[in-house]
Amino acid sequence: MRNTILIVDDEKASLLALKRNINKAFNELDIIIASDGLEAWNLIKDNRPDILLTDVVMPKLDGIRLLEKIRSSEQYNNLYIIIMTGQVDHNRSIEALDKGADDFLSKPVNNDELIARIKSALRFAQLQNRLIDENSLLMQLASELERDIDDMTKLAVKFLQARIPQSYDTLRRVAAASVWIARQLDELDDDEIKDIEIAAFLCQAGKVVLPDELINKPVVYDGQATDKIMYQVPVTARDIVGSVRRFKDVSDMLYSMYENFDGSGFPEKRQSWQIPIGARIIRVALDYEIFRDYSGMTARKSVNAIKTAAKRFYDHRVVLLLEHYVRSILKEDYDPDEMAVRLSKLVPGMLLTRDIITNSGLKLMPSGAVLKERTINQLININTSDPILGNIYVKKRLSSG
């Protein structure tokens, strides 16, 4: 791959001499020229050179301002810049280096110094191009790996669907709820959220060992295994999914999914924060679907059943966010007179339609309370040390009575 140098000088004789000397020493370099900074800027945008050799004193756009434009542009910021200044203009050289120039030459330019500076610039440009190529290759490989992971997950779900015919729709809903809740917690990065999504789609994997008469039965109900054989489900899930090295964190979530928050679950009686956050999220999302499908409960009753068991079986934060998801995203048990309000937009007289709860589980205000200026200030102060979970919901319209 050939490199390109842009030479900029408003003195025609100097410009041609520089071009001739560089061309003689570097036949592998493509050379373009400009007679002022503005022309140079347009050539940079059109040609994307690797090296810029520019005078400082020029009409229309001087070398310093051209340098500032380049360094403020992320698109051209990797350009290697050599500034040329008069021998008596030492301060301009210092200013140019301070603003991001890579090197400088004194005018009139000594040819040996010119060749040495261009050689150094070429080594940098070639290394830069190699890094760009390698980064591009890494991005391509990462993208292909992500597609492979998605395809692998889809294949596993297809096998599950063959064994459990109604599983796909349930898994899709569990995955959507889990991803939404994970994003609201604001403590997980994109890779961790992706693993939670994969684990949600594979959360029934351990059931493949169950006999036909138990295949459609939930593994746990009201915090207890529905059959002795169910104790084998998380172990099977871990063994199947954990055989893929990329899915180690996914298999840990599946293995811990049936641990209860109070330590009464299985297989290891983990409790509280010992249970991976992904497992806690998926458990709540899955149990909501079980209450809806297996028990035939309404959305409100399903959420209330989970809220009743919060802190015994579930992470209270996940439970609160599930309720927000069901009512605000799914629009189930939806109140058209309710709206979500940011903390900074609260005003006295607003009527709360849901409890305000902090990250630590502290209930600050109950549903039905009317906000006052003093309580709003207290909420703002508490939020700095113990953040409020989710949104704050208030009544859109208050009755005139």
Side-chain angles (χ1 to χ4, degrees), residues 28-42:
E28 74 274 24
L29 261 178
D30 291 329
I31 302 173
I32 51 178
I33 58 175
S35 57
D36 63 68
L38 187 58
E39 182 187 4
W41 176 244
N42 290 327

Side-chain angles (χ1 to χ4, degrees), residues 89 118 125 179 181 232 305 350 399:
D89 205 4
I118 300 298
V179 168
I181 292 169
Q232 188 60 32
M350 284 181 169
S399 61

Side-chain angles (χ1 to χ4, degrees), residues 1 21 36-37 53 68 86 134 178 180 194 205 208 217 227 232 244 254 274 280 286 311 316 367 373 379 384 400:
M1 178 180 176
N21 291 339
D36 63 68
L53 175 62
E68 288 175 332
E134 289 174 356
S178 298
W180 187 88
K194 182 63 178 178
V208 296
K217 200 171 185 179
D227 191 281
Q232 188 60 32
V244 180
L254 301 183
Q274 295 173 341
R280 286 179 259 147
L286 179 61
K311 288 195 175 179
H316 74 277
S367 173
E373 186 171 355
L379 291 174
T384 60
S400 57

Side-chain angles (χ1 to χ4, degrees), residues 1-5 28-30 50-51 122 125-126 129:
M1 178 180 176
R2 292 177 66 83
N3 296 106
T4 302
I5 184 170
E28 74 274 24
L29 261 178
D30 291 329
D50 303 287
I51 304 166
L122 263 177
Q126 289 163 357
N129 289 336

Side-chain angles (χ1 to χ4, degrees), residues 194-320:
K194 182 63 178 178
D195 281 348
I196 289 173
E197 182 180 27
I198 293 170
F201 271 111
L202 299 179
C203 68
Q204 303 276 35
K207 294 183 74 174
V208 296
V209 298
L210 298 178
D212 290 346
E213 63 270 19
L214 294 178
I215 199 69
N216 290 316
K217 200 171 185 179
V219 176
V220 298
Y221 195 85
D222 196 26
Q224 302 294 319
T226 56
D227 191 281
K228 288 182 179 179
I229 198 173
M230 298 300 183
Y231 290 109
Q232 188 60 32
V233 169
V235 178
T236 302
R238 180 192 60 185
D239 292 346
I240 293 173
V241 177
S243 61
V244 180
R245 186 164 40 184
R246 164 65 179 80
F247 286 171
K248 181 186 180 303
D249 290 338
V250 173
S251 69
D252 287 346
M253 291 182 221
L254 301 183
Y255 182 66
S256 302
M257 253 187 58
Y258 303 109
E259 302 284 6
N260 293 329
F261 207 66
D262 63 1
S264 62
F266 62 92
E268 293 189 4
K269 296 193 177 300
R270 293 180 183 177
Q271 59 182 321
S272 185
W273 315 116
Q274 295 173 341
I275 308 167
I277 181 61
R280 286 179 259 147
I281 292 172
I282 296 168
R283 170 70 179 280
V284 170
L286 179 61
D287 279 9
Y288 173 77
E289 294 297 328
I290 288 171
F291 284 130
R292 294 281 277 134
D293 295 340
Y294 184 75
S295 300
M297 291 184 182
T298 63
R300 176 174 294 185
K301 286 186 176 179
S302 298
V303 169
N304 286 340
I306 289 174
K307 286 172 69 176
T308 300
K311 288 195 175 179
R312 283 198 302 145
F313 307 145
Y314 311 117
D315 181 341
H316 74 277
R317 303 176 305 160
V318 179
V319 172
L320 179 74

